[in-house]
Amino acid sequence: MSDTTAPQKSGGIRDLGKMFGGGQSSLRQFGILGALIAIIIVFQILTGGKTLQPGNVINIVLANSYVLILAIGMVMVIIAGHIDLSVGSIAAFVGIIVAISMNRWDFPWPAAILLGLVVGALIGAWQGFWVAYVGVPAFIVTLAGMLLFRGANQFVGRSTTEPIANEAYRQIGGGYLPDPAWGVPLNLTTLVLGVLAIAAVIYNEISLRRRQAKIGAEMAPVWVSGIKIAALIAVIVAASLLFASGRPGQSLPISGVILIALVLVYSFVTNHTIIGRHIYSLGGNSHAAELSGVKIKRVNFFVMMNMSILAAVAGMVFISRSRSSGPLDGNSWELDAIAAVFIGGAAVSGGIGTVIGSIVGGLVIAVLNNGLQLLSVGADRVQMIKGLVLLLAVAVDVLSKRSGRPSILGRFGRGKPSDAGDPLTVSTPMQRPEVVPGEGGPDASSRPPSTTPNA
């Protein structure tokens, strides 16, 4: 047993890991964030500065917001130890229902959105029932759902394209934040949003240090917090200026605002609520979670239902931008969402992953797509490159851990045998609750150490 009371090595670069909360899971995010920055710099050079032009950055958000929304739900499904192959078909089915409700049934657009959310919730309840209460593996349930709702999309829409005529609804996926146009060349609404984000970052860091001090938890050095705040402010300022300096009428897309709101809400849910901790404990060791009192059926039902609701949101955002709903909508969306989650550091066996990490993983794919298109690389080679990136992102860490050494990204935290013995991780509320597997229980021997939370 490791001695958790022994003083941990700290100082220098080791303390930088505490910018993300410490622990190998956080360090994986640190690594993938660095990879994203490196990819952006490479494409910025190779494309002659086109990658970071305001119009291109705005286009990346517009074209990929629906995949990033799916990634938020998918990371929760994968953390819980499942997978969902039906999200593309669900999004397409909800999209055709919403389009028809406005065109043929004369639904006002808010009522159509509400209808889409209800349909998504009902589909999620259907799939959640089979997974949680019947015990059918999520892989099979969602594979059936992929076929079922793809067929339902073509049956309801008669395999034709349904146009979206409502201009207000089109703004959801293709509109931008309004600009008061007070003679300022930058979009003021976007700049105000950036200022609010900076204030939130500073408040959050101060609040975090106060909570850690109150409970006696180990805190990162003040200089680490300073670097963290400065880095986040630099990113926010750069992003705000990019989005605010687009062509007249263009700024931060409304779909981007929806995405930011969802990221904030689901980051809070996964990090600071009971249901979030139960999802992590379920994916880390379902038997131990059940013994500790977690209602695993309810958690599984919630995760599957939540995924379908987010798929409905993604479908509505997509048809709003494309101004129509067609029979081919949603094809391969589930693969993009799953790839984003795994590139973002989620564990294949569940129990590990974050909303922020999945968003960063999705941005890696989005920037790769965009940069390769700017370089006029063919679609066939783009697919091959994306496949190799996904394979390498997962294989590097898996092989490193299998060799008995810390993961490659985890080498920044050398000196810590595992997060289980890391006092910072134990005292940080975002990590899973302490669940003790029963002695001799099936999961105690069947699950390898690398699949346990924070392993």
Side-chain angles (χ1 to χ4, degrees), residues 286-307:
S286 60
H287 183 64
E290 187 173 21
L291 291 178
S292 65
V294 175
K295 306 294 185 184
I296 60 174
K297 291 182 179 178
R298 294 182 185 178
V299 175
N300 282 327
F301 185 86
F302 168 79
V303 167
M304 300 306 296
M305 188 172 179
N306 176 71
M307 180 72 258

Side-chain angles (χ1 to χ4, degrees), residues 255-322:
S255 58
V257 177
I258 295 173
L259 176 64
I260 293 172
L262 289 174
V263 168
L264 293 176
V265 168
Y266 280 93
S267 292
F268 178 82
V269 169
T270 54
N271 294 340
H272 300 289
T273 65
I274 293 175
I275 185 65
R277 295 170 189 174
H278 284 184
I279 292 172
Y280 276 107
S281 63
L282 176 62
N285 190 324
S286 60
H287 183 64
E290 187 173 21
L291 291 178
S292 65
V294 175
K295 306 294 185 184
I296 60 174
K297 291 182 179 178
R298 294 182 185 178
V299 175
N300 282 327
F301 185 86
F302 168 79
V303 167
M304 300 306 296
M305 188 172 179
N306 176 71
M307 180 72 258
S308 294
I309 293 174
L310 286 177
V313 174
M316 289 188 284
V317 168
F318 179 81
I319 65 169
S320 170
R321 178 173 181 261
S322 61

Side-chain angles (χ1 to χ4, degrees), residues 42-401:
V42 169
F43 280 121
Q44 178 72 358
I45 296 172
L46 293 179
T47 60
K50 294 180 180 177
T51 298
L52 289 180
Q53 286 183 354
N56 189 57
V57 175
I58 292 171
N59 190 49
I60 289 175
V61 175
L62 279 172
N64 296 279
S65 55
Y66 67 92
V67 172
L68 298 176
I69 291 172
L70 289 176
I72 294 173
M74 189 65 76
V75 72
M76 298 174 69
V77 171
I78 290 176
I79 288 172
H82 305 299
I83 201 161
D84 194 330
L85 302 177
S86 63
V87 293
S89 297
I90 294 173
F93 179 61
V94 172
I96 195 69
I97 292 288
V98 170
I100 289 176
S101 69
M102 287 188 288
N103 288 350
R104 304 182 193 176
W105 305 336
D106 294 329
F107 274 37
W109 66 269
I113 291 176
L114 182 61
L115 175 63
L117 293 174
V118 170
V119 171
L122 291 175
I123 293 173
W126 163 262
Q127 299 200 132
F129 167 76
W130 290 104
V131 172
Y133 294 101
V134 180
V136 180
F139 175 82
I140 301 299
V141 172
T142 57
L143 181 60
M146 180 176 69
L147 300 173
L148 174 62
F149 298 111
R150 174 61 56 193
N153 166 275
Q154 296 171 359
F155 176 78
V156 174
R158 300 176 182 175
S159 297
T160 59
T161 299
E162 189 76 21
I164 303 292
N166 192 300
E167 186 60 35
Y169 185 82
R170 289 180 178 181
Q171 295 301 310
I172 296 174
Y176 305 92
L177 283 179
D179 188 356
W182 289 342
V184 180
L186 300 176
N187 184 286
L188 289 181
T189 310
T190 303
L191 294 180
V192 169
L193 198 62
V195 171
L196 293 176
I198 291 173
V201 165
I202 296 174
Y203 172 80
N204 184 62
E205 184 64 20
I206 294 175
S207 176
L208 173 65
R209 294 187 67 86
R210 283 180 178 172
R211 288 199 306 271
Q212 290 175 335
K214 186 176 181 180
I215 64 177
E218 180 184 354
M219 293 189 295
V222 175
W223 67 269
V224 171
S225 294
I227 291 178
K228 178 180 177 182
I229 292 176
L232 291 174
I233 289 178
V235 170
I236 293 171
V237 169
S240 299
L241 291 176
L242 275 174
F243 286 112
S245 57
R247 291 183 300 176
Q250 287 190 347
S251 60
L252 179 63
I254 292 177
S255 58
V257 177
I258 295 173
L259 176 64
I260 293 172
L262 289 174
V263 168
L264 293 176
V265 168
Y266 280 93
S267 292
F268 178 82
V269 169
T270 54
N271 294 340
H272 300 289
T273 65
I274 293 175
I275 185 65
R277 295 170 189 174
H278 284 184
I279 292 172
Y280 276 107
S281 63
L282 176 62
N285 190 324
S286 60
H287 183 64
E290 187 173 21
L291 291 178
S292 65
V294 175
K295 306 294 185 184
I296 60 174
K297 291 182 179 178
R298 294 182 185 178
V299 175
N300 282 327
F301 185 86
F302 168 79
V303 167
M304 300 306 296
M305 188 172 179
N306 176 71
M307 180 72 258
S308 294
I309 293 174
L310 286 177
V313 174
M316 289 188 284
V317 168
F318 179 81
I319 65 169
S320 170
R321 178 173 181 261
S322 61
R323 302 186 173 190
S324 64
S325 176
L328 299 180
D329 291 353
N331 274 340
S332 301
W333 288 10
E334 55 277 351
L335 302 183
D336 287 337
I338 292 169
V341 171
F342 286 136
I343 291 176
V348 178
S349 53
I352 296 176
T354 63
V355 171
I356 297 295
S358 66
I359 294 298
V360 175
L363 289 176
V364 167
I365 297 177
V367 174
L368 269 176
N369 270 332
N370 178 263
L372 293 172
Q373 288 173 1
L374 290 176
L375 294 173
S376 301
V377 176
D380 50 353
R381 285 179 288 173
V382 171
Q383 294 293 333
M384 289 191 289
I385 293 172
K386 286 167 59 179
L388 289 174
V389 169
L390 171 62
L391 182 62
L392 289 175
V394 177
V396 165
D397 214 47
V398 168
L399 292 176
S400 183
K401 285 190 294 185

